[in-house]
Amino acid sequence: MTVVCVPDSNARELLGALPDGVEVIAWNGEDEKPDRLAETVFWVPQVEDSTNLEGKFRAMPKLEVTQLTSAGTEDILDHVPDGVTLCTARGVHGSAVAELVMTVILATLRQLPHFIEAQRQGRWDPVEADDLRDKRVLIIGAGDLGEQTARRLRSFDATPVLVAHTARDGIHATSELPKLLPEADVVVLTVPLTPDTTGLVDADFLARMPDGALLVNVARGKVVDTEALLAELTSGRLRAALDVMEPEPLPAGHPLWTAPNLIITPHAAGSIAKAGPRAFALVNAQVRRYLAGEELVNVAKSGH
């Protein structure tokens, strides 16, 4: 019997039917362990699980595959034991997050925050807005999310410019940022959090962006120097839209709450009704690949 462990009963339902010979158990890390937990070979953690990972891995000594339902690996990668393959949900949430990127860019350019506030106050207050046509949008992070965002931007007649750690056909290297940033109307961050990207957007990075430019962060909060960004927002020189920030959750009274020229969403880019079903459709397919001895997709760390 092949034992698959998911975090809760809702996940077990979303996982759907699997071939005969598979037993699905639910465990979210509590002290009371289900029967046959120690026999688990395929584990699906809670979303962005970072609690007592060493203990959870010890409880599953026969584990061979850990399948995430999110794309980021920074919370778990260093804890995965040798011999265990780690897979991500790359491609599952890209469309939803890219939609939020488009939403906040358009909302900012079309002055939606101004009009919403005027409506709240009962004021008829027309102002001149802007559009996406001919805008140059720098997308730092050329994975699935970057590509999904670029495709949507082209449909609005904008010009996406993709940037990755290493240059390849049609994609610039991060080493080229000093010359790319001054030409960007919008900068979108879609990079994973790594030692190279932590603090990437610092005071020097922001200073290279032109007056009135917009920074959109749907990557991780630690990619951006919060104090440096606050200084640019407060001066009125730059605008921003943050779905992720540092610290997070953003505490009451934090200056970001009242910073001008800023749209905040609470790490909600992937929070859509179909997120769970889409993620567990991938999990189901991965379990079937595992059972058939086929190559898994979205491998972030090989156990072989």
Side-chain angles (χ1 to χ4, degrees), residues 135-141 149 153 159-163 172 176-190 205 209 214-216:
K135 292 291 187 294
R136 188 174 174 89
V137 182
L138 200 61
I139 304 172
I140 305 176
T149 302
L153 285 163
T159 302
V161 179
L162 286 159
V163 180
H172 297 268
E176 300 176 66
L177 283 173
K179 70 177 182 181
L180 293 171
L181 285 167
E183 301 174 351
D185 299 292
V186 180
V187 176
V188 180
L189 305 173
T190 64
F205 179 110
M209 294 173 61
L214 170 66
L215 177 75
V216 179

Side-chain angles (χ1 to χ4, degrees), residues 21-283:
V22 176
E23 179 183 356
V24 181
I25 62 174
W27 184 58
N28 64 6
E30 68 269 15
D31 291 339
E32 185 177 346
K33 297 178 175 63
D35 293 340
R36 293 178 55 78
L37 178 65
E39 303 299 312
T40 299
V41 295
F42 194 109
W43 178 43
V44 184
Q46 293 174 307
V47 177
E48 297 181 2
D49 191 354
S50 60
T51 305
N52 189 27
L53 289 170
E54 290 85 356
K56 290 172 183 173
F57 280 117
R58 282 197 302 270
M60 296 176 282
K62 296 184 179 180
L63 189 65
E64 295 186 8
V65 179
T66 298
Q67 173 65 57
L68 304 180
T69 54
S70 60
T73 64
E74 67 273 7
D75 291 330
I76 195 171
L77 184 60
D78 292 340
H79 302 282
V80 178
D82 292 340
V84 176
T85 296
L86 177 68
C87 301
T88 73
R90 181 184 186 274
V92 169
H93 307 292
S95 61
V97 179
E99 281 186 8
L100 183 71
V101 172
M102 297 301 300
T103 298
V104 296
I105 291 175
L106 290 167
T108 301
L109 294 180
R110 299 307 301 263
Q111 297 280 4
L112 223 58
H114 169 85
F115 292 128
I116 290 172
E117 179 61 19
Q119 177 186 347
R120 189 184 68 82
Q121 297 180 6
R123 291 185 292 108
W124 187 266
D125 191 8
V127 293
E128 185 177 76
D130 205 345
D131 63 5
L132 256 175
R133 182 175 178 178
D134 300 325
K135 292 291 187 294
R136 188 174 174 89
V137 182
L138 200 61
I139 304 172
I140 305 176
D144 173 69
L145 175 53
E147 293 286 357
Q148 295 244 25
T149 302
R151 179 163 58 84
R152 286 160 174 77
L153 285 163
R154 292 186 190 102
S155 71
F156 281 81
D157 299 317
T159 302
V161 179
L162 286 159
V163 180
H165 180 71
T166 304
R168 52 187 187 269
D169 187 30
I171 297 174
H172 297 268
T174 50
S175 59
E176 300 176 66
L177 283 173
K179 70 177 182 181
L180 293 171
L181 285 167
E183 301 174 351
D185 299 292
V186 180
V187 176
V188 180
L189 305 173
T190 64
V191 290
L193 183 65
T194 68
D196 287 337
T197 62
T198 299
L200 173 68
V201 181
D202 56 12
D204 180 65
F205 179 110
L206 295 168
R208 293 178 186 275
M209 294 173 61
D211 292 355
L214 170 66
L215 177 75
V216 179
N217 189 7
V218 290
R220 285 293 185 265
K222 291 181 179 179
V223 174
V224 177
D225 181 328
T226 300
E227 294 302 318
L229 178 59
L230 271 168
E232 293 285 11
L233 295 174
T234 303
S235 73
R237 200 183 72 80
L238 296 180
R239 299 175 288 181
L242 306 177
D243 185 56
V244 291
M245 54 222 78
E246 178 64 24
E248 191 177 307
L250 198 61
H254 192 282
L256 278 176
W257 285 121
T258 54
N261 310 304
L262 174 63
I263 295 175
I264 289 175
T265 52
H267 206 142
S271 297
I272 60 167
K274 293 294 185 181
R278 289 171 183 167
F280 277 92
L282 169 67
V283 175

